[in-house]
Amino acid sequence: MAPSGSRSVKRSCQRVLYWIPVLFICLIVAWSYYAYVAMLCIESIENIGEKIVYLLVYHVFFIMFVWAYWQTVFTKPMTPLKEFHLSYSDKELLEREDRGESQQEILRRIAKDLPIYTRTMSGAIRFCDHCQLVKPDRCHHCSVCDKCILKMDHHCPWVNNCVGFSNYKFFMLFLAYSLLYCLFITATDLQYFIKFWTNGLPDTQAKFHIMFLFFAASMFSVSLASLFAYHCWLVCKNRSTLEAFRAPAFRHGTDKSGFSLGLSKNFRQVFGDEKRYWLLPVFSSLGDGCSFPTCLVNQDPEQPSSPSGHNPSVKSGGEIHPFPAKPLRESQSRLLNSGQSWSESEGTMDREKEGTSNLAMTIENET
């Protein structure tokens, strides 16, 4: 009982420590509100019209920033659906088998009817031994959250949460509004910062707040601008941070652009189809987080159909990469053209059986 109790205390302490970065952000934002509203606008700005305009615009950015941050922090990460979890009988069967080809055969049977196209680097089925589930595409296990997260991007200590399918839009808006918030403070505080710095205004209690507010806002602007630009690039390429560092592996090999459908469709996967929700921290992303359309299974309209009725997918350069048949979900049919389909080639199954002995058929746990 003692070791179990000590582990429980340790986990509780860790959970408290994880909130320290969030508390730090909250304290900085609360102080910036006081410094800008009370010290700058109310005490230092004498022009009534300028004061009103500054306060109105400031509060718009402040409200949107706090709203987006709240949603990013308190939106629970989504985990795989029940269909990806192993049944009790499958778990027993998997445990009885030796780790190797026999286990991969079981996992391939389970994953046969699931919308899964990614594999491990050795070509094995992606399986989480801890959560006992077949990993959906773009799903990874987070060691901090201790569970598998759909379309996991990264675990962010500044929000004490995993950034993934359920809150990636909120995270993007949090970066955008926090950047606008800092840029607005920097721009409007600059002239008063210069006046205090050159002793153009008398020394008051507001001097320290206004000068330090300018330094803090400008420094945060630089770091936020680089981070926001990077994630904008990821959205345009339809990649997560993990996929940018390690490309997802498909049957034909790794491909960083495997999930890219073009700029417009990539953007709508995160922000949705309805433009009225794009700038609001409300969930509007397309899909369920478990299955994603991929450019590697789009049917080439110029490619003739095979006699058996199967349509192999064609990648740029004329190389044919067949994929197994999988159900096309609503989120995918909304993004893919009407002529695109998920297809299976009989030749693929034969080649897979012949090459089974050459693969390192092991269950690989990915982070």
Side-chain angles (χ1 to χ4, degrees), residues 85-97 106 109-110 132:
H85 290 259
L86 267 62
S87 64
Y88 181 76
S89 58
D90 288 332
K91 289 179 183 178
E92 285 191 330
L93 185 61
L94 198 66
E95 289 175 357
R96 287 199 299 266
E97 298 290 343
I106 297 173
R109 174 182 58 80
I110 297 172
Q132 290 291 292

Side-chain angles (χ1 to χ4, degrees), residues 317-356:
E319 186 180 358
I320 299 177
H321 302 299
F323 283 77
K326 296 292 189 296
L328 181 64
R329 301 186 178 221
E330 181 182 357
S331 61
Q332 298 168 335
S333 61
R334 293 170 66 185
L335 283 169
L336 294 175
N337 296 328
S338 58
Q340 299 166 343
S341 61
W342 305 83
S343 56
E344 177 176 8
S345 173
E346 295 176 353
T348 302
M349 302 303 294
D350 296 336
R351 288 194 300 271
E352 181 180 326
K353 291 179 180 179
E354 294 173 1
T356 297

